[in-house]
Amino acid sequence: MSNEQDLDNLLDESLEKLRSQRLPDEKVATTIGQVWEKLEAAGASSTVRLPAMEPTSRIRDCSDLQALIPDYLAGTLNESRRLLLEDHLNQCVPCRRALRVAREGRKPAPVVRARSQGLPWMWIGGISSAAALLLVAALAWSGAFDEFLPGPEGARATVESLEGTLFRVSSEGSLPVTEGTELWEGDRIRTARLSGAVIRLQDGSRVEMDERSELAVRASRAGQQVELARGQVLVEAAPQEEGYLAVQTQDCTVTVKGTVFTVNHGTRGSRVSVLEGHVSVARLGKTATLMPGQQYASRETLGRVSLAREVAWSRHAPEHLKVVQQLDALGRELDEAFRSPLRNSLRLTHLAPENTAIYIALPNLSQSLGEAERIFQERLEQNMELQQWWNQRGAEFEPQLREVLERLRNLGAQLGEEIVVAIGLEEGNPGEPLILAEAGSGAPAAVAREVERINREVGKTVLRLIDDPFAEQASDGVLFVMVHQGIFAASPSLARLQEVGDLLASGALSTFAGTRFADRIGEAYQEGVAYLLAVDVKSLIAAQVEREDEPGATDEQAFFNRLGLLDVRDILVERRPAGELYETRATVGFDKARQGLASWLAEPASMGSFDFISADATVAAAFVVKDPELMVEDLFQLIQAGDPDAWEELVQFQLETGINLQQDLAAPLGGEIAFALDGPVLPQPSWKMILEVYDPARLQQTIEWALQEVNDQMAQQGESPLELVAQTSGGRTFYSVVSSRGGSEVHYTYVDGYLVAAPSRALLLNAMRFRQTGYTLQRSSKFLERLPADRRTNFSAVMYQDLGSLLAPLAERFGGSPEELSEETRHQLEQLAGQLQSSLYYAYADSQQITLAGTGDRFAPFGMSGGLGGFLGVAELLEMSR
C-alpha cells in the first residue's frame, strides 16, 4: 500500500471515530433549549420583540444562517438573530462570501448541508488528504480530540450497593437493576422514592445517589463524566493519574482529580459542596475553585446551606462530616496560633542607628509554629479520624516538618516576640543591616549551638559569636552575632554592634529616637504593629541629590519635582488583623500638598462606572482622577521640562492636525475610569472599559478624527485601513472599529454619561443589563465581605481580583499537553489556584497622603491558605530555600 493510501486510510479511520461519537438526544435538546432561552431573553430585553419561532425555523447549520442574509440586508431581521448572524460571520469564511455575493446581487452557489448528525464535514473535502491528516495529528497531539475519542473498552460502572429500587431508564421504558449490574456507555439510571445506590466507576471512584436521582456515566480518552440529570450525589473521587473525573449538570461542570464532594441539581439550579480536597466548578465560561467547607451555587437565589444539611441523606454523612468539621476547627485553632498580638513596645526602635532609612518589624513566628505543633499533635492524639486522615495524606511530610520546627524552636524560643531589621545610610546608600531582638536567659547557649551547627554544615565560618565588639576585627563574609544585656544583635558591620553596646552600657536612647522618621514609626506602634516596613524616602532622595554634581542635574531635579516625587516624605507598609480578615496598608506621606503626577488621583468620590461590571467579574478596577485637562497640562509640562525636542514635535503636531489635546480629548472626559475582565478569558479575554464622558458628541468627533489619522498612516505603509461602523438599535447608536483583515474588534456605545467599550456587542448589552438589574460586583457578597471596617463611604481607587478562578481553567487547558506544562507544574498551578483567595485593594488620596490598602482572607504564613496550609508548608519552604 502506498504512503498516500496509508494517509487516506488513517484519516478516514480518525474521522469515522469522531462521527461515531453521537451526543445523546436529550443532551442536544437541552443545549438547544438553553441557547434559545438566552436568545429569547436577549430579544425580550431589546426594543424589537422576538417573534414566536416554529421548530422548523431553528438554526442548525450554515445553510440556515445564510437563509437569514436577505432579511439581514433588508434590515428586517430581529435583534437576537442579527447578533447571532454577525457573530457567525466573524468566524465563517463561506458565510461571509455568501453575504458578499448577496450584496453584489449575484446568485449564490448552492449550500451543501452537513451530513451525519448536523456536523459541518463539508469543508474537509476541500483539504488534501495529507494536509487534513496533519491537522488531525496536531489536534490529537494537543489533546483536543481526547473529549471525542472513546474511552477504554468495557463497562463504565458497576452497581456496588443498593437500598430500595434502581431503574435503567431508556426510550423503551424503565427496567429494575440489581447489585452487581454493569452500566455501559450512556446508560441512564434513576433511583426510586426512598431509595439509594452506590455506583463504582472504572477507576474506583464511588458515586452515592440519593432518592429520585438520575445520572448516566460516560468516558472518553480525556476522562470520565457523570451526567447528573437531577437529584443529589456524593462523590468519592479516586486519584486520577491520567485524565479527570467530571460531574456535569445542566448548568455547571465540576472537575476533580481526587476528592470528596456533593452535587445537588434541582429545578432552580445546582449546588456544589466540598468535603475534602478541592474541585473546579465551571459555568458560562467562568471557573471557581472550592476548598473544603466551601460551596458554589449556580444561582445566587439558592444561597448557602450547612454541609450537614447538604449531605444528611448520605449513609456516609457522619464520617465525612466529622473529618471536615474537625479539620475546619483545627484550621481555626492554627490560625489563632499564627495570629500574633499587636506590639506597642519601642525598645528595639530606640536601639536603631541614627541614620536609619529602612525599618522592618516582624513577629517571632517560631513561637507560633511551636504552639501550632502542640495543637496539631494534641488533636491527632485525641481523634481517630484525624489520625487516619493524617496517615493517608500528610504523614510523608512529618520528618521534614519536625526537623524544621526543631531548628526554629531552638533559637526562636529564646528570643522575644519581635524581630527588627534596621538599615542606615552610608555615603548616601543603604548600608549593612542590623538585626535586633529581645533575648531570654537561655539565648546565649541556644545561639552558640546554632552558630556552631550552621558553620559545620556550611564548612566554613559564616557566623561569629562575639562578647565584646570592640575587641574584634572586621571580616568580609561574616555575620557577627552578639547577645548582651537581654538583647540579641547581629550585623556584618562591627560598628553597628559597637553602637548597640554603647547604648546598652549607658542606658541611653539612640539619637534616631528623636528624628522625624522615628516619630512616624512611633505613630504606627501606637495603633499596634503586626508587620511593618518603613522607608525614609526623604533621606534617600536627599542623599542622592547631594551626590549629583553632573551637568544637567538641576534640570533633572526640576523634572522629578514636577512628578511630585521629591515631595514624598516616607512610606509605611503595615499588615494587621481586621476582624476575620487581614489588612495590608501602605501609606505614602508628602511634605506638602500633592502636585504633579502624585496629584492625579483625586480624593474619594462615588463611582458609577462599577454599575456596568457584573458580580462574576474576575478582575475589576476603578479610579477617580482630577480634571483631565489639568492632567494633560501636567503631562505637557513634564514633556517640556524633560525633552524639549519632543515638546516641539507635539506643538507642531497640534498645529498641523488642528487638534487640541486638552480641549478635544481631555475636556469631554469626566474624572472616572474603570476596567474589568468580566466573562470568559479563553480564547479571547472578555474585557470592558468604562469612561465618564461630559461631552459625547465632541469625544466622538475626536475618535473619528483619530481613526482617520491612523488610516492615513496605514495607507502610506500599504496596510488595510480600520473602519468605524455605526448602527442604531432601540434608539441607541453602537459603534465598532473593525479591520478589513479581520481579527480583534472594539465595540462601544454611550450610556448615561459613560462610554462603555468591549470586544463584542454582546458584552456591551450584558454591561447595560447588569446596570439595569443591579447584578453588579459592588452589590455581591464576595465584594462586600472584603470592604474595610473604616468610616469612609467612597474610594479614590478600588481593585478587586479573583485570580484563583483564572488559574484553574488554565491548568485544565494546558493539562492535556505534557510538552506545554509538566504534570508537576500543572499540579502546582492547580494548587496555587486553590490557595489564591479573592481580595480587594483600595486607595484613599488626601491632601498630603495617599493610603493604599487591601483585605484578604485569614492570615496565611508563607503564602499558604489558612493556618493548616501554612503549618504544613513550612518544611517544603525550607527545603526550597536551603
Side-chain angles (χ1 to χ4, degrees):
M1 185 181 291
S2 67
N3 290 336
E4 183 175 354
Q5 288 175 323
D6 290 338
L7 294 175
D8 288 343
N9 290 337
L10 182 56
L11 176 62
D12 290 340
E13 291 176 6
S14 300
L15 296 179
E16 188 59 36
K17 286 183 179 180
L18 290 177
R19 293 190 187 100
S20 66
Q21 297 302 301
R22 178 179 178 85
L23 291 174
D25 294 339
E26 64 270 17
K27 187 71 174 181
V28 174
T30 297
T31 304
I32 292 175
Q34 290 175 339
V35 171
W36 278 102
E37 181 183 2
K38 293 183 179 300
L39 290 176
E40 290 167 356
S45 63
S46 66
T47 56
V48 180
R49 300 297 297 178
L50 192 69
M53 304 301 298
E54 297 295 332
T56 55
S57 68
R58 290 188 172 180
I59 297 173
R60 297 175 296 275
D61 51 31
C62 288
S63 63
D64 292 330
L65 285 164
Q66 291 180 22
L68 302 177
I69 290 178
D71 290 340
Y72 175 73
L73 294 177
T76 59
L77 196 62
N78 68 58
E79 182 72 5
S80 60
R81 289 203 162 194
R82 183 182 61 77
L83 290 174
L84 181 64
L85 178 60
E86 289 177 347
D87 182 68
H88 180 74
L89 290 171
N90 288 332
Q91 308 173 38
C92 182
V93 174
C95 287
R96 284 205 300 271
R97 187 179 298 115
L99 176 64
R100 185 168 62 251
V101 168
R103 279 176 171 163
E104 295 172 355
R106 293 186 281 135
K107 184 178 180 180
V111 178
V112 180
R113 287 190 178 270
R115 58 192 175 98
S116 174
Q117 303 177 36
L119 296 177
W121 295 106
M122 59 277 191
W123 60 271
I124 296 180
I127 306 176
S128 68
S129 297
L133 181 59
L134 289 175
L135 176 62
V136 171
L139 292 173
W141 171 80
S142 68
F145 276 174
D146 287 351
E147 293 287 352
F148 303 98
L149 296 180
E153 296 181 357
R156 298 298 182 230
T158 303
V159 180
E160 182 179 272
S161 62
L162 175 62
E163 289 184 358
T165 306
L166 178 68
F167 296 99
R168 179 187 276 115
V169 183
S170 68
S171 58
E172 299 175 355
S174 301
L175 296 175
V177 298
T178 60
E179 291 184 1
T181 299
E182 292 183 331
L183 304 176
W184 297 81
E185 179 77 12
D187 281 352
R188 283 191 296 150
I189 55 174
R190 180 189 302 159
T191 52
R193 181 174 61 89
L194 301 177
S195 300
V198 176
I199 310 302
R200 180 175 290 275
L201 306 184
Q202 275 183 322
D203 65 352
S205 298
R206 301 171 74 249
V207 180
E208 183 180 4
M209 302 173 64
D210 191 15
E211 65 171 343
R212 301 182 185 276
S213 299
E214 180 179 323
L215 60 80
V217 181
R218 302 182 185 275
S220 67
R221 186 173 297 178
Q224 302 173 103
Q225 301 87 38
V226 176
E227 296 178 354
L228 181 61
R230 67 180 184 182
Q232 300 186 77
V233 294
L234 188 152
V235 181
E236 298 179 47
Q240 307 291 306
E241 296 181 1
E242 295 182 1
Y244 61 86
L245 171 63
V247 177
Q248 298 174 329
T249 70
Q250 187 178 13
D251 54 4
C252 70
T253 299
V254 186
T255 307
V256 299
K257 287 289 184 179
T259 184
V260 180
F261 65 100
T262 68
V263 181
N264 185 348
H265 178 54
T267 306
R268 296 178 55 194
S270 301
R271 181 186 291 115
V272 181
S273 305
V274 180
L275 303 173
E276 185 179 315
H278 70 274
V279 307
S280 296
V281 184
R283 180 175 182 266
L284 299 180
K286 297 180 180 294
T287 302
T289 300
L290 305 184
M291 306 301 289
Q294 294 184 329
Q295 287 184 341
Y296 173 90
S298 62
R299 298 179 184 273
E300 283 194 348
T301 54
L302 290 179
R304 177 183 173 85
V305 300
S306 68
L307 289 181
R309 172 182 167 184
E310 197 68 355
V311 301
W313 58 271
S314 169
R315 291 180 299 170
H316 303 282
E319 59 191 76
H320 288 308
L321 283 176
K322 184 174 292 186
V323 175
V324 170
Q325 292 166 352
Q326 290 159 356
L327 286 175
D328 189 55
L330 176 59
R332 287 195 297 270
E333 288 187 81
L334 294 178
D335 281 327
E336 288 302 316
F338 285 123
R339 198 179 184 91
S340 59
L342 297 179
R343 305 180 304 278
N344 305 97
S345 174
L346 291 171
R347 184 185 181 192
L348 299 178
T349 311
H350 292 158
L351 294 175
E354 177 184 7
N355 57 357
T356 296
I358 301 174
Y359 182 94
I360 305 170
L362 305 168
N364 180 1
L365 279 181
S366 63
Q367 297 179 1
S368 297
L369 287 169
E371 176 66 11
E373 183 192 23
R374 183 191 65 78
I375 295 172
F376 188 71
Q377 292 299 332
E378 282 185 0
R379 296 301 172 267
L380 285 184
E381 293 172 2
Q382 296 169 0
N383 192 283
M384 186 63 67
E385 287 82 5
L386 279 182
Q387 284 184 31
Q388 184 178 4
W389 171 85
W390 175 250
N391 291 333
Q392 292 176 349
R393 291 171 170 78
E396 59 182 294
F397 300 113
E398 190 161 0
Q400 283 181 303
L401 184 62
R402 288 190 176 277
E403 177 191 356
V404 174
L405 294 177
E406 185 65 24
R407 290 173 59 180
L408 289 173
R409 186 165 47 243
N410 284 341
L411 179 60
Q414 300 301 326
L415 301 180
E417 63 180 4
E418 181 174 64
I419 299 173
V420 165
V421 180
I423 303 174
L425 293 178
E426 296 178 5
E427 298 181 354
N429 291 314
E432 302 287 5
L434 171 65
I435 304 171
L436 296 167
E438 294 187 86
S441 58
V447 170
R449 288 193 300 268
E450 194 67 14
V451 167
E452 180 182 358
R453 184 191 62 78
I454 292 176
N455 287 336
R456 184 174 62 252
E457 287 187 357
V458 175
K460 62 179 181 178
T461 300
V462 293
L463 296 177
R464 183 181 298 172
L465 182 61
I466 64 176
D467 295 322
D468 183 2
F470 295 96
E472 300 288 336
Q473 292 185 347
S475 178
D476 293 337
V478 175
L479 179 69
F480 296 97
V481 180
M482 177 180 73
V483 181
H484 186 60
Q485 293 188 16
I487 292 294
F488 168 91
S491 177
S493 170
L494 278 173
R496 293 300 188 208
L497 297 184
Q498 290 169 357
E499 292 173 6
V500 173
D502 284 340
L503 292 172
L504 292 175
S506 64
L509 302 181
S510 166
T511 51
F512 173 67
T515 63
R516 171 195 52 79
F517 185 43
D519 290 341
R520 183 68 186 92
I521 294 174
E523 293 174 4
Y525 273 91
Q526 287 180 359
E527 298 182 25
V529 167
Y531 293 79
L532 174 65
L533 166 64
V535 181
D536 187 354
V537 179
K538 196 71 174 179
S539 296
L540 290 172
I541 292 178
Q544 183 68 24
V545 171
E546 288 175 1
R547 295 189 303 117
E548 287 286 359
D549 54 3
E550 301 175 2
T554 302
D555 293 339
E556 188 173 342
Q557 280 184 249
F559 176 78
F560 283 102
N561 188 55
R562 286 189 173 90
L563 287 175
L565 299 182
L566 296 183
D567 298 330
V568 176
R569 183 183 67 241
D570 49 49
I571 299 175
L572 267 68
V573 181
E574 304 171 73
R575 184 170 175 84
R576 65 180 70 236
E580 295 184 359
L581 303 177
Y582 256 74
E583 179 188 57
T584 302
R585 181 173 62 189
T587 304
V588 183
F590 295 83
D591 274 340
K592 57 184 179 182
R594 294 180 292 123
Q595 62 174 343
L597 265 66
S599 67
W600 283 17
L601 192 63
E603 295 190 1
S606 60
M607 291 181 279
S609 55
F610 247 46
D611 291 341
F612 295 96
I613 301 173
S614 82
D616 300 318
T618 303
V619 175
F623 309 86
V624 286
V625 297
K626 73 176 187 180
D627 189 336
E629 286 188 82
L630 297 179
M631 293 171 62
V632 173
E633 184 178 337
D634 289 339
L635 190 61
F636 283 175
Q637 291 179 359
L638 283 173
I639 297 174
Q640 192 172 6
D643 191 342
D645 292 337
W647 170 248
E648 290 297 329
E649 292 179 4
L650 180 59
V651 171
Q652 186 64 28
F653 167 80
Q654 293 191 106
L655 289 174
E656 291 177 356
T657 60
I659 193 75
N660 185 303
L661 293 179
Q662 275 186 282
Q663 297 299 318
D664 298 325
L665 180 61
L669 297 176
E672 188 183 342
I673 181 173
F675 176 84
L677 289 177
D678 193 2
V681 179
L682 297 174
Q684 181 186 41
S686 300
W687 59 267
K688 64 177 61 170
M689 179 172 286
I690 305 101
L691 297 172
E692 187 181 21
V693 179
Y694 290 160
D695 191 342
R698 191 168 189 177
L699 180 61
Q700 183 59 33
Q701 183 180 2
T702 303
I703 292 174
E704 294 174 2
W705 165 87
L707 281 175
Q708 184 59 50
E709 289 292 317
V710 170
N711 284 337
D712 290 344
Q713 294 292 328
M714 296 177 70
Q716 294 176 10
Q717 299 174 11
E719 298 182 4
S720 302
L722 299 175
E723 182 181 3
L724 178 64
V725 179
Q727 296 179 331
T728 301
S729 176
R732 186 181 305 281
T733 301
F734 293 88
Y735 300 90
S736 58
V737 180
V738 300
S739 170
S740 58
R741 296 180 300 174
S744 300
E745 300 179 358
V746 176
H747 297 253
Y748 67 94
T749 188
Y750 297 94
V751 184
D752 298 340
Y754 291 93
L755 181 150
V756 184
S760 70
R761 173 84 68 85
L763 286 175
L764 290 182
L765 295 174
N766 283 340
M768 290 186 288
R769 185 162 59 251
F770 296 147
R771 186 167 185 261
Q772 293 171 352
T773 61
Y775 185 69
T776 61
L777 180 62
Q778 61 183 338
R779 296 186 182 182
S780 67
S781 58
K782 62 183 181 180
F783 182 87
L784 293 173
E785 67 187 11
R786 277 164 172 70
L787 291 176
D790 55 29
R791 299 177 181 178
R792 305 264 194 164
T793 57
N794 294 307
F795 299 106
S796 297
V798 59
M799 188 185 87
Y800 170 84
Q801 69 81 18
D802 186 14
L803 295 177
S805 64
L806 280 180
L807 292 180
L810 288 178
E812 292 299 328
R813 164 63 180 85
F814 294 110
S817 303
E819 291 79 359
E820 296 184 45
L821 283 182
S822 67
E823 178 67 21
E824 180 181 2
T825 303
R826 185 182 57 77
H827 180 64
Q828 291 174 348
L829 194 59
E830 289 177 340
Q831 284 188 322
L832 182 59
Q835 292 169 355
L836 278 177
Q837 304 294 330
S838 60
S839 54
L840 182 71
Y841 305 93
Y842 43 91
Y844 303 122
D846 299 311
S847 175
Q848 292 184 232
Q849 181 173 287
I850 296 178
T851 300
L852 309 171
T855 55
D857 277 343
R858 53 193 185 181
F859 178 56
F862 310 111
M864 304 294 178
S865 61
L868 185 59
F871 177 66
L872 300 179
V874 176
E876 181 181 356
L877 178 74
L878 191 65
E879 284 299 310
M880 292 168 58
S881 62
R882 181 176 285 173

